[in-house]
Amino acid sequence: MKLLRHWPQRLHLVLISRSNPPWPLANLRARGQVVEIRTRDLRFMPEEVATFLDKVLATPLSRSALAFLDQRLEGWIAGLRLVTLSLGAGANAESELTSLSAPTSRLPTIW
């Protein structure tokens, strides 16, 4: 905490955490001394998901398939990439995705 009260001008601290640190973040925000990158900043938006999948898959997916992936993977590019690797470059990606979304699929338990 002493470091936070006597912050050197040239110091840049990068902290990566799954939870907020026990620091006075509101004060740091008010003074413009903190930049936060949250989950919502990292996720792909539905349009970005569609663009990515259009570039990677041989045939475009339907809106319902895109909505399913968006709901299930929440825009995480690593999950999208793993799904595309699982689907392969075949022309029947839509039917393969249907099998991944089946109740016995491992996709829901992984993500």
Side-chain angles (χ1 to χ4, degrees), residues 64-93:
S64 63
L66 290 171
F68 167 77
L69 286 175
D70 184 56
Q71 182 267 333
R72 182 69 73 195
L73 302 175
E74 299 177 345
W76 284 101
I77 187 60
L80 289 166
R81 184 63 184 135
L82 289 173
V83 167
T84 60
L85 289 172
S86 175
L87 295 176
N92 60 348

Side-chain angles (χ1 to χ4, degrees), residues 53-60 88-93:
L53 293 175
D54 284 346
K55 290 181 180 184
V56 175
L57 298 175
T59 56
N92 60 348

Side-chain angles (χ1 to χ4, degrees), residues 24-91:
L25 290 179
N27 294 342
L28 295 171
R29 284 184 198 109
R31 291 189 303 241
Q33 292 180 318
V34 66
V35 175
E36 297 174 272
I37 301 172
R38 299 285 182 166
T39 302
R40 66 182 173 269
D41 301 317
L42 297 174
R43 77 176 309 257
F44 271 34
M45 295 291 106
E47 304 81 32
E48 295 168 316
V49 170
T51 300
F52 171 74
L53 293 175
D54 284 346
K55 290 181 180 184
V56 175
L57 298 175
T59 56
L61 294 177
S62 67
R63 287 185 184 188
S64 63
L66 290 171
F68 167 77
L69 286 175
D70 184 56
Q71 182 267 333
R72 182 69 73 195
L73 302 175
E74 299 177 345
W76 284 101
I77 187 60
L80 289 166
R81 184 63 184 135
L82 289 173
V83 167
T84 60
L85 289 172
S86 175
L87 295 176

